Amino acid sequence: MLILECPYCGVKAEETELSPGYEAHLKRFGPGSSDDDFEAYMFARKNPKGVHFERWRHSYGCGKWFLAARCTATLEVFGTYPAQSSEPPADLVAKIKAKRPDWKGFK
Amino acid sequence: MAEAVSALNGASYQGFASVREIGPLGMISLRAKPDVPGLSNAVQAAVGLALPEQRRVVQNGARAVGWMSPDEYLIVLPYPEVAAALTAIGAALKGQHHLAVDVSDARAVFRIEGDKAAQVLQKLSPADLAKLEPGELRRTRAAQVAAAFWAEGDGYTLVCFRSVAAYVMGLLTHSAMPGSELA
Amino acid sequence: MSTRLSKGGRLIDRASAQEFTFNGKRLQGFKGDTLAAALLANDQMLVGRSFKYHRPRGVVGSGVEEPNALVNLGKGGRFEPNQRATTTELFNGLEATSQNHWPSLEFDVGVVNNYAARFLPAGFYYKTFIQPRAAWKHFFEPIIRQSAGLGKAPKDRDADRYEQAYAFCDLLVVGGGIAGLQAALVAGRAGLRVILLEQTAHWGGRAPVDGDVIDNKPAQAFVDAAVAELAGMENVTLKLRATAAGVYDHGYVLADERVADHTPGDGRPKHRLWRIRAGKILTATGAIERPLSFAGNDIPGVMLAGAVRDFVVNWAVSPGDRTVIVTNNDDAYRTAIALKEAGLEVPAIIDARATVSGDLPARARALGIRIEAGRAVAKVKGGKRVTGVAICLQAGEGAVLDEIACDAVAMSGGWSPVVHLYSHCGGKLVWDTAQAHFRPDAARAPLNHDGGALVYAAGIANGAMTAAAVLADADAQARVAVAALGGTAAEAPVPQATPVTEQPMDAVWIMPQGATHALKSKMWLDYQNDVKVSDVQLAAREGYESVEHTKRYTTLGMATDQGKLSNINGLAVLAQALNEDIPQVGTTTFRPPYTPVTLGALAGESRGEIFQPLRKTPMHGWHEAKGAYLEPVGLWRRPYCFPRTGETHEQAVHREVLNTRSALGLLDASTLGKIIVKGPDAGKFLDMLYTGVMSTLPIGKCRYGLMCNEQGFLSDDGVVARIDEDTWLCHTTSGGADRIHAWMEDWLQCEWWDWQVYAANVTEQYAQVAVVGPNARKLLEKLGGMDVSKDALPFMAWADGTLGGFPCRVYRISFSGELSYEIAVPASVGLAFWEKLHEAGAEFGAMPYGTEALHVMRAEKGFIMIGDETDGTIIPQDLNLGWAISKKKADYLGKRGQERTYLASPDRWKLAGFETLDGSVVPDGAYIPAPGVNGNNQRNTQGRVTSTYFSPTLKRGIAMGLIKGGLDRKGEVVEFTNLAGTGTIKARVVDPVFYDKDGERVNG
């Protein structure tokens, strides 16, 4: 059962104190968007074996959404960061690249 | 108007620790970013206390302010003082983006007291109580519902939602039953 | 016969006799006995019957590995099946019965299966019961169900209570033998928070039994000193009777503490399930001895050599007067020596190895014990009890050279490290050819959240097989763990065990190695599930090459012991049959729990009144006192109706509807979600959230709104009130408040984080009462305090004020179509206000009404209900709610989704009302069939009912439903199925507003 540190309140919360929010950094496509873009926004989700960015809410704690970078195969957690981020912080990306040289990078 | 009645009307239980519902307490949920001008004045005006640091609760007798999230504070004060405090907060934060609402009646508050009070919470919450620092407010869950607690006096003060007060009382009672001490 | 020895027994207190019964027979044991020890002391070797062939079964092991000695314990509310006698501590008054036999343990009819064994091979069920299909259902399954299962399920409510607790530590040490104690000492002295768990009631593990000498003193002295030192450390927690059942991600461990199994009824919780979060885990879980596969190895009296030693040394119980030892390793010689030193006969040691040397055989020889090297057991003689063994060459095919009379056989096929916990979370194993066992591979340890090792194995669990090696390995592994945790282990000498020279073991998987098929058909691998060497070989011949498939086909290792004795032997036999190496065949997956955990412990406190959190409004107690029939709405319990004496629920609902329409009804609407949304951008935000426009709502007014998800499907609805310039109050459905609040926070935090909006869920701050009916205004005017007239407070307006001295906010909104006020007061005075309304409203005919009357009245008015008319695939346009969707807004959540072409299809089913021609009620769930069948040969459909009621107001059945073409088909008569399939119900498509179409009443 996972432990993730909430970047807002600093609590190392266990999974039962959190709610999952699936893939992070989705770009919203609203009215006027193409069918393909809208379909991808709604339904196309990454499912990598390896590095994954995802949303979590500290729902039994401070109530804030945050983002986590995690290896889906080993459950290693590379880091957590605020939801108000349009892409992963550079230092986190560097840390992941150092640990997973084969990782093709975010995007 | 009729007298304000807390969710369980002061129910109590004596096990290896004592459990009692207290209240009604005055409670205000204050949402504001910490750098909003006037925020510390607002809290000062409401309860005469300084803003707490991250995950801390500052207390003075019946008044307290707890850090709930980076932009949320819980103000605890005597029940009859809520309206005046809301007015004071509104005046101090006039023109600033904030939200202050009376949540006194949306909560139930319990005291768990005695040498082994921590063991009662240890059965219900996935929080490391040994590492709970003095003045630390921990938001977590008690079994299946949200709860917040902090160490105070001879035990802990626990806050939960009013509608589940009976459930939480049941949890605390079960956990404090004589013979179920953890050590 | 098995009996109690006159002397010895390190764990028993002979001064404290304990009375117990087995199958009703009154027996006596001592404090400190396990049930198995006490049974053997009373010569009760036969303890059960096997699962498939109902063969007689005796005690084989002495601990958690025991497959045979499973008993029913207790009675009534304390009845528990499948309890291992070897781990059950004896107490005064214990009642045990044997299981899986009929009519009695001694004479079991099911044993007929044994004689039919050649017709019941591996995969028998799969092969036999496939055809004819009907025979399975009507013939085979009932018989198999009757005879399947070991213990019986308890019938009574559990008399005991259970609880759970959370614990945290830096290092969790599992196993309280010398390895675990040494590891805990290292970590404890380093100042780390340590939890040490031991599954039995005693510290020390096997070392004191095996006669190990540590620092020139008996092992017990080391154990006592270590426990004393650990007990004195504040940072160390010691727990006996606590089994680590499973290791999960990120250092999460479930451990079952048997608090009061041995003291039932003393008021303590029976079990406590610990939810431990450990920085690192060290498994000092020891090893389990393997049986040897020889013919007749399941006859009562054949036991593991280590277990025989345990019974003699720990409990002064002799399994037999004359015990033959069969082994492939030196360790079993300790059993021979222990038996001899207890004054018992050891007629021979049958050692499969060609030559025998080393310290232990030398001691055995010195004691005058005959050692037969290169020999094997051809077969064990006896039925319900061993009477002798026939000896042959291990290298041969089983030709009998000699027969030895004996009443017990102690066997040892070597020791397998307990690698379960190491493996639960992905730790990998290596095959140790010399020891013939799998042990943890430290290079492929299970990983923690930081990518480092989570679990370290130590001592015998790590393949260190002698006491000296165990202590050195435990010390070293603990130091690695301490360093990985950032601690510093102090310099300290490693306790030194006196070395004993042991000769290597020989891997022996079948005895003799060239055994005939007849012999292999009597060699048991899995005692509980009756899987033999011949069954695994048959599975291999039939193509089951994967160990996982063989396991399921033969049921090897699938019994309650999960193959603790059988798995390694079974996969070795499979590997031989497949002509592969054991590591290539691999093991089956180790999964939690290590030993069974009772459901009571998993449920913990969650039973009875606190099974789940039931949410209660401030008026809940009043409802219960008035005999309300409650229904779940989310976690709330709401009154469905308030039946009076002699009334059915249906009659009560009809009365409540008619009274509300004609006089005055009062509804506890406190569960309605209430979310305050405030800020400079709150209007903009709500315009994105709702399909309609909320930013233009005048202060003091209310507006109905719909919320959709991004796919455009309806998610929630409710009335929004504009409180002031930058504050709105959003009402949600009763079940939707938390979900919608979270939905708002999601968009505010993750998408529009620069918008200045705060949302607060104040649902529980208020008790809310709907005062409904033609007399509603009269009641409020009687209470007095504010102007509730039509002009001051018109429909869809709200006002703050007081009523009868209660501060309140009054919303002029209606879900019933009647003149209606929804009044919010602080929850702390909710009950007083509710009572005041009833008292003052009595003269106006006030009655409480429940959720069913509410539903009927809203259906009479054609109002939709989230969850009835919607199911997650319905857009507002389907429900003719286009009027609540802004055409002007560039965007709102769900707008793009609703623009998908298929949602504009004229074929979509749309909302309509239905009136049955005969006035009857359309059944719930009824469909409107269409001609023809679809591609799956199912009848086509063109619509379905979504809400259907008898309308007491109209005195006829009314319904809402979705139908292809919707209201375009108004006036058409369609046919609903009746659910029995016996006919159809004709109904006319009508406008869904059945009552007060012009809204005169609601505006009144």
Side-chain angles (χ1 to χ4, degrees):
Chain A
M1 185 167 56
L2 305 185
I3 296 181
L4 297 172
E5 180 169 335
C6 173
Y8 292 99
C9 66
V11 165
K12 289 184 174 63
E14 68 160 45
E15 209 170 317
T16 67
E17 299 176 277
L18 304 167
S19 307
Y22 319 111
E23 189 179 325
H25 300 303
L26 293 181
K27 180 181 172 355
R28 179 173 183 259
F29 284 93
S33 58
S34 70
D35 283 352
D36 285 350
D37 283 345
F38 184 71
E39 183 193 15
Y41 163 53
M42 280 282 90
F43 306 115
R45 290 295 171 270
K46 297 192 183 89
N47 186 21
K49 182 180 182 182
V51 181
H52 190 230
F53 296 88
E54 53 200 20
R55 291 161 16 102
W56 290 86
R57 186 179 185 215
H58 193 189
S59 46
Y60 278 100
C62 68
K64 296 302 183 197
W65 281 97
F66 64 89
L67 308 181
R70 189 173 68 97
C71 176
T72 58
T74 65
L75 306 191
E76 180 172 358
V77 178
F78 304 110
T80 57
Y81 53 102
Q84 295 80 40
S85 315
S86 42
E87 56 182 63
D91 58 338
L92 179 61
V93 170
K95 180 181 170 187
I96 299 169
K97 280 201 166 133
K99 290 196 165 209
R100 296 284 190 278
D102 294 343
W103 179 49
K104 298 205 169 43
F106 175 68
K107 312 228 177 176
Chain B
M1 185 179 90
E3 196 184 338
V5 181
S6 65
L8 303 179
N9 207 5
S12 67
Y13 173 76
Q14 186 64 49
F16 69 75
S18 81
V19 175
R20 60 194 168 93
E21 193 228 6
I22 60 172
L25 297 188
M27 285 196 183
I28 293 168
S29 176
L30 174 60
R31 299 283 308 270
K33 292 218 159 65
D35 57 358
V36 165
L39 178 60
S40 57
N41 289 344
V43 173
Q44 196 72 37
V47 283
L49 290 166
L51 276 182
E53 299 288 307
Q54 186 191 52
R55 286 206 326 269
R56 288 297 181 276
V57 56
V58 293
Q59 266 187 288
N60 181 15
R63 293 169 185 78
V65 186
W67 187 97
M68 300 295 273
S69 87
D71 58 3
E72 183 184 353
Y73 302 89
L74 179 68
I75 297 172
V76 183
L77 70 173
Y79 192 86
E81 296 178 13
V82 170
L86 282 172
T87 305
I89 292 167
L93 288 173
K94 191 165 176 58
Q96 300 296 336
H97 174 45
H98 76 284
L99 169 66
V101 285
D102 181 2
V103 292
S104 315
D105 289 355
R107 307 277 186 268
V109 187
F110 295 86
R111 285 284 300 157
I112 304 105
E113 291 164 325
D115 292 351
K116 294 179 175 169
Q119 295 182 13
V120 178
L121 296 180
Q122 200 185 335
K123 297 179 188 180
L124 301 173
S125 296
D128 190 351
L129 289 162
K131 290 201 173 161
L132 189 76
E133 293 176 29
E136 181 176 352
L137 182 156
R138 180 68 150 92
R139 298 183 72 178
T140 178
R141 59 183 177 82
Q144 302 173 52
V145 297
F149 53 75
W150 58 88
E152 184 180 343
D154 175 25
Y156 296 84
T157 301
L158 180 146
V159 181
C160 68
F161 285 106
R162 183 187 187 104
S163 66
V164 293
Y167 169 75
V168 171
M169 184 70 195
L171 292 177
L172 296 170
T173 302
H174 184 274
S175 300
M177 280 173 82
S180 68
E181 294 87 343
L182 295 180
Chain C
M1 62 183 288
S2 63
T3 185
R4 182 83 68 184
L5 299 166
S6 60
K7 286 184 301 195
R10 57 184 282 269
L11 300 180
I12 54 169
D13 175 6
R14 291 180 191 260
S16 183
Q18 310 279 306
E19 303 279 341
F20 70 104
T21 66
F22 181 68
N23 289 340
K25 196 160 52 171
R26 295 179 66 84
L27 302 169
Q28 202 185 69
F30 294 126
K31 194 170 170 47
D33 266 333
T34 62
L35 176 57
L39 286 171
L40 289 176
N42 285 278
D43 196 26
Q44 186 67 50
M45 176 59 85
L46 177 63
V47 287
R49 293 274 176 172
S50 66
F51 181 68
K52 189 166 160 190
Y53 302 137
H54 291 243
R55 282 174 64 93
R57 288 282 182 255
V59 177
V60 168
S62 59
V64 295
E65 72 283 359
E66 175 60 38
N68 288 346
L70 303 181
V71 297
N72 302 309
L73 275 188
K75 62 181 180 187
R78 291 209 162 86
F79 175 86
E80 264 193 301
N82 295 337
Q83 297 303 295
R84 293 179 302 279
T86 49
T87 60
T88 300
E89 290 176 60
L90 193 68
F91 55 85
N92 241 337
L94 180 150
E95 295 173 66
T97 55
S98 53
Q99 46 192 41
N100 202 37
H101 53 72
W102 186 84
S104 80
L105 176 60
E106 297 294 328
F107 175 75
D108 179 12
V109 170
V111 77
V112 68
N113 284 0
N114 185 33
Y115 304 111
R118 53 185 296 221
F119 306 113
L120 294 171
F124 172 74
Y125 296 118
Y126 294 117
K127 290 168 181 163
T128 308
F129 302 123
I130 297 301
Q131 299 294 342
R133 302 298 296 188
W136 171 254
K137 187 174 173 198
H138 298 293
F139 181 66
F140 297 126
E141 191 187 13
I143 291 174
I144 291 169
R145 289 244 176 262
Q146 182 69 29
S147 51
L150 290 164
K152 294 268 176 284
K155 290 200 177 72
D156 295 340
R157 185 184 169 84
D158 196 325
D160 284 299
R161 67 197 168 92
Y162 301 82
E163 65 178 27
Q164 304 187 348
Y166 296 84
F168 297 80
C169 62
D170 299 313
L171 185 66
L172 172 70
V173 180
V174 183
I178 57 172
L181 290 168
Q182 177 62 21
L185 283 171
V186 170
R189 287 170 186 157
L192 297 184
R193 277 213 283 178
V194 177
I195 296 175
L196 174 59
L197 304 179
E198 165 54 39
Q199 64 187 357
T200 72
H202 307 279
W203 299 107
R206 296 207 57 83
V209 182
D210 290 353
D212 289 323
V213 175
I214 300 171
D215 289 341
N216 298 315
K217 283 181 273 191
Q220 189 65 46
F222 166 79
V223 171
D224 293 343
V227 171
E229 182 179 347
L230 291 166
M233 294 183 190
E234 285 212 344
N235 53 322
V236 176
T237 304
L238 302 173
K239 290 209 176 297
L240 289 171
R241 302 186 176 95
T243 305
V247 171
Y248 305 85
D249 309 319
H250 291 189
Y252 185 64
V253 175
L254 282 185
D256 184 24
E257 183 184 6
R258 297 176 304 285
V259 180
D261 266 359
H262 58 302
T263 56
D266 73 347
R268 295 187 297 165
K270 183 175 168 69
H271 285 214
R272 178 180 295 129
L273 190 78
W274 287 94
R275 299 171 174 273
I276 301 170
R277 186 67 74 163
K280 305 275 182 193
I281 299 157
L282 188 141
T283 57
T285 43
I288 290 177
E289 198 168 21
R290 292 192 296 262
L292 284 166
S293 299
F294 48 79
N297 65 349
D298 71 324
I299 295 171
V302 179
M303 299 173 67
L304 293 169
V308 168
R309 192 151 85 235
D310 284 337
F311 284 113
V312 171
V313 177
N314 284 337
W315 297 290
V317 167
S318 139
D321 296 346
R322 291 168 56 82
T323 304
V324 166
I325 314 285
V326 191
T327 185
N328 64 348
N329 64 76
D330 276 10
D331 183 67
Y333 285 77
R334 291 191 173 93
T335 300
I337 295 163
L339 288 165
K340 201 76 181 173
E341 285 177 344
L344 297 162
E345 280 293 306
V346 179
I349 297 173
I350 316 295
D351 195 325
R353 295 173 294 184
T355 56
V356 177
S357 61
D359 293 353
L360 292 164
R363 280 179 61 195
R365 277 199 189 93
L367 287 167
I369 302 174
R370 165 185 163 198
I371 296 173
E372 294 278 356
R375 296 290 197 267
V377 170
K379 81 184 274 205
V380 178
K381 307 181 76 171
K384 287 179 196 161
R385 186 68 206 244
V386 171
T387 57
V389 291
I391 310 295
C392 63
L393 290 174
Q394 168 61 17
E397 293 178 12
V400 176
L401 304 176
D402 192 6
E403 289 192 2
I404 302 173
C406 62
D407 55 0
V409 175
M411 61 182 166
S412 178
W415 292 77
S416 297
V418 174
V419 295
H420 301 62
L421 297 178
Y422 190 84
S423 306
H424 283 170
C425 223
K428 298 288 186 284
L429 308 174
V430 287
W431 176 252
D432 184 323
T433 309
Q435 300 284 0
H437 63 209
F438 282 102
R439 60 178 167 78
D441 182 358
R444 295 180 296 160
L447 299 183
N448 209 347
H449 60 86
D450 57 0
L454 171 65
V455 185
Y456 303 86
I460 291 185
N462 198 29
M465 301 307 286
T466 66
V470 162
L471 289 165
D473 186 55
D475 191 85
Q477 296 297 337
R479 283 169 191 277
V480 173
V482 167
L485 286 161
T488 309
E491 291 291 324
V494 181
Q496 296 296 313
T498 306
V500 176
T501 308
E502 289 193 26
Q503 179 197 350
M505 53 105 65
D506 263 0
V508 171
W509 306 117
I510 297 177
M511 182 175 255
Q513 61 98 14
T516 60
H517 181 77
L519 289 179
K520 287 191 286 197
S521 301
K522 292 293 175 192
M523 293 179 189
W524 260 256
L525 292 167
D526 186 318
Y527 294 111
Q528 203 181 116
N529 270 357
D530 278 322
V531 181
K532 299 163 294 175
V533 167
S534 54
D535 293 320
V536 171
Q537 291 178 330
L538 176 64
R541 281 204 304 280
E542 292 185 351
Y544 290 87
E545 296 181 5
S546 149
V547 63
E548 296 284 3
H549 290 163
T550 300
K551 166 182 168 173
R552 283 153 184 84
Y553 191 57
T554 62
T555 72
L556 176 84
M558 289 173 69
T560 62
D561 61 326
Q562 289 285 289
K564 287 186 177 61
L565 297 187
S566 59
N567 277 351
I568 301 296
N569 286 349
L571 73 91
V573 169
L574 179 66
Q576 278 188 342
L578 296 172
N579 204 19
E580 285 183 24
D581 292 337
I582 288 172
Q584 268 66 63
V585 173
T587 65
T588 53
T589 307
F590 295 93
R591 292 197 175 85
Y594 173 59
T595 48
V597 178
T598 187
L599 288 173
L602 295 175
E605 82 289 338
S606 300
R607 60 189 283 201
E609 288 286 309
I610 51 173
F611 170 68
Q612 62 175 357
L614 295 187
R615 302 178 69 183
K616 297 176 178 178
T617 74
M619 294 83 110
H620 186 92
W622 190 96
H623 303 325
E624 286 192 320
K626 289 287 187 288
Y629 173 71
L630 302 173
E631 71 162 348
V633 179
L635 289 173
W636 295 101
R637 288 294 177 272
R638 300 189 69 184
Y640 174 95
C641 63
F642 292 84
R644 291 177 171 175
T645 308
E647 260 183 355
T648 64
H649 293 167
E650 187 181 24
Q651 289 166 336
V653 170
H654 293 172
R655 170 179 53 74
E656 290 169 12
V657 169
L658 292 173
N659 183 70
T660 303
R661 294 242 183 263
S662 64
L664 184 55
L666 300 173
L667 175 81
D668 177 1
S670 306
T671 59
L672 203 66
K674 308 161 199 81
I675 300 171
I676 289 179
V677 179
K678 181 179 182 233
D681 297 315
K684 180 165 84 167
F685 175 62
L686 293 179
D687 285 350
M688 283 302 293
L689 230 60
Y690 286 93
T691 60
V693 180
M694 294 302 168
S695 56
T696 59
L697 181 62
I699 294 167
K701 295 292 184 193
C702 302
R703 186 172 288 165
Y704 176 70
L706 305 172
M707 279 192 230
C708 297
N709 61 22
E710 274 285 67
Q711 292 211 52
F713 298 130
L714 253 179
S715 153
D716 208 76
D717 70 345
V719 170
V720 178
R722 179 82 176 262
I723 306 301
D724 60 32
E725 185 52 38
D726 64 355
T727 311
W728 282 254
L729 185 133
C730 303
H731 286 114
T732 74
T733 55
S734 287
D738 291 337
R739 177 173 56 87
I740 296 301
H741 181 234
W743 173 245
M744 289 179 175
E745 286 292 337
D746 192 348
W747 288 100
L748 288 172
Q749 291 180 35
C750 302
E751 185 73 19
W752 303 310
W753 61 73
D754 52 337
W755 293 13
Q756 293 198 307
V757 182
Y758 286 125
N761 185 352
V762 294
T763 300
E764 302 192 12
Q765 172 67 14
Y766 301 100
Q768 196 143 319
V769 183
V771 179
V772 182
N775 294 340
R777 186 175 289 126
K778 289 180 201 157
L779 169 57
L780 302 193
E781 282 170 349
K782 179 183 172 186
L783 292 176
M786 61 190 289
D787 188 350
V788 293
S789 67
K790 183 176 177 176
D791 295 336
L793 194 58
F795 182 54
M796 296 306 267
W798 65 269
D800 282 339
T802 63
L803 284 170
F806 289 83
C808 60
R809 178 168 286 164
V810 184
Y811 305 89
R812 184 76 200 279
I813 54 181
S814 176
F815 198 39
S816 57
E818 294 299 327
L819 171 63
S820 166
Y821 299 84
E822 291 209 7
I823 304 164
V825 300
S828 62
V829 295
L831 176 61
F833 182 65
W834 173 256
E835 287 176 331
K836 178 103 177 176
L837 289 172
H838 282 278
E839 180 196 317
E843 64 171 298
F844 307 115
M847 275 184 204
Y849 69 93
T851 50
E852 187 65 0
L854 165 115
H855 282 142
V856 172
M857 288 190 282
R858 68 94 192 165
E860 289 173 342
K861 275 294 289 182
F863 292 141
I864 64 128
M865 189 86 182
I866 297 292
D868 284 348
E869 275 64 44
T870 71
D871 63 0
T873 68
I874 303 295
I875 58 173
Q877 293 87 337
D878 294 334
L879 303 181
N880 313 323
L881 292 169
W883 60 269
I885 300 174
S886 165
K887 310 290 182 292
K888 286 180 277 183
K889 291 197 298 188
D891 195 3
Y892 59 83
L893 297 182
K895 183 175 172 70
R896 177 62 184 84
Q898 289 165 3
E899 287 169 356
R900 286 177 291 175
T901 50
Y902 85 99
L903 291 173
S905 163
D907 288 345
R908 278 190 77 78
W909 296 0
K910 294 195 162 195
L911 188 75
F914 297 92
E915 272 180 2
T916 52
L917 298 191
D918 62 0
S920 65
V921 180
V922 177
D924 259 324
Y927 272 82
I928 307 168
V933 294
N934 66 15
N936 293 324
N937 207 29
Q938 295 158 325
R939 207 161 160 189
N940 284 327
T941 55
Q942 54 176 324
R944 63 182 169 87
V945 71
T946 55
S947 293
T948 173
Y949 300 98
F950 178 80
S951 163
T953 313
L954 304 173
K955 310 253 181 297
R956 54 174 299 114
I958 60 168
M960 293 159 77
L962 296 163
I963 183 171
K964 190 169 160 180
L967 286 175
D968 292 347
R969 295 171 67 175
K970 203 150 93 175
E972 189 181 324
V973 173
V974 296
E975 292 188 342
F976 282 94
T977 52
N978 91 1
L979 293 186
T982 53
T984 55
I985 300 162
K986 286 190 167 68
R988 181 170 285 113
V989 180
V990 297
D991 189 282
V993 183
F994 295 94
Y995 177 74
D996 189 26
K997 287 187 198 296
D998 301 326
E1000 286 170 14
R1001 299 176 74 91
V1002 76
N1003 284 311

